[in-house]
Amino acid sequence: HFGALVRAIVFQQLAGAAANAIHGRLRALVPGALTPESLLALTDEELRGAGLSGSKAASLRDLSAKVLDGTVALGGSGIADEEVVARLVTVRGIGRWTAEMFLMFELRRLDVWPVDDLGVRQGYGLVWGIDPPPGASRLEPLGDRFRPYRSVAARYCWEAVAIARRADTALR
């Protein structure tokens, strides 16, 4: 799970190819498993040499420190979703959206409703004929009917957007 959070920080606000290259160079600096200890052992110069900005390097150091001091529990077992989010957002560079994606895709939690995700909002609008798509505050209560499987509903919303894009492309 630590590696997934590192990857999320590295990939933020970067094009895929650039992010992949930077992440690859970072991984090449660490023989074996990427751990908080191995990441903290890297110098700022090594991190910058891999292509990380000073801000991202600081975020990775903060993540490492918070994993080691127990603020961020990587396994998350026995910890409620909102507690996992609350702990993760204390890390520099990790916001609610990143924390929710971590819950869904790393911890495989089934009842996450990422209302700040544009794809979920657009997909919900497509499926239920809401134009313009609902904003986050309007979408929040609309997810209640999918409990305890809101993560599944979110994935269907994303798929609705993908299907609409494919259809739009086919019509051109």
Side-chain angles (χ1 to χ4, degrees), residues 119-137:
V120 171
R121 293 195 317 260
Q122 289 177 336
Y124 194 95
L126 285 168
V127 172
W128 278 274
I130 302 171
D131 190 25
S137 60

Side-chain angles (χ1 to χ4, degrees), residues 25 58 77 84 107 127-128 133 147:
R25 289 191 297 266
S77 74
V84 172
L107 299 184
V127 172
W128 278 274
R147 287 181 188 271

Side-chain angles (χ1 to χ4, degrees), residues 26 29-30 34 37-44 46-47 61:
L26 174 63
L29 292 172
V30 178
L34 183 62
E37 296 86 356
S38 65
L39 200 142
L40 287 173
L42 298 174
T43 66
D44 288 341
E46 289 172 311
L47 294 173
R61 292 195 183 287

Side-chain angles (χ1 to χ4, degrees), residues 3-13 23 56 93-94 97-98:
L5 290 169
V6 167
R7 188 176 193 281
I9 290 170
V10 170
F11 272 66
Q12 288 174 350
Q13 300 177 347
H23 187 258
K56 286 192 183 195
I94 293 182
W97 183 87
T98 300

Side-chain angles (χ1 to χ4, degrees), residues 66-150:
K66 287 182 174 158
V67 167
L68 291 173
D69 74 13
T71 301
V72 172
L74 292 176
S77 74
I79 302 174
D81 293 352
E82 281 304 315
E83 179 65 18
V84 172
V85 170
R87 290 177 181 212
L88 281 172
V89 299
T90 67
V91 175
R92 175 187 172 130
I94 293 182
R96 182 167 189 87
W97 183 87
T98 300
E100 289 173 339
M101 296 305 108
F102 180 76
L103 282 170
M104 288 178 71
F105 296 106
E106 285 300 310
L107 299 184
R108 304 195 192 298
R109 300 288 177 93
L110 291 173
D111 196 31
V112 180
W113 190 228
V115 297
D116 293 319
D117 187 274
L118 181 60
V120 171
R121 293 195 317 260
Q122 289 177 336
Y124 194 95
L126 285 168
V127 172
W128 278 274
I130 302 171
D131 190 25
S137 60
R138 184 170 171 212
L139 185 59
E140 181 68 44
L142 295 174
D144 287 345
R145 68 194 211 183
F146 304 114
R147 287 181 188 271
Y149 301 108
R150 293 180 299 169

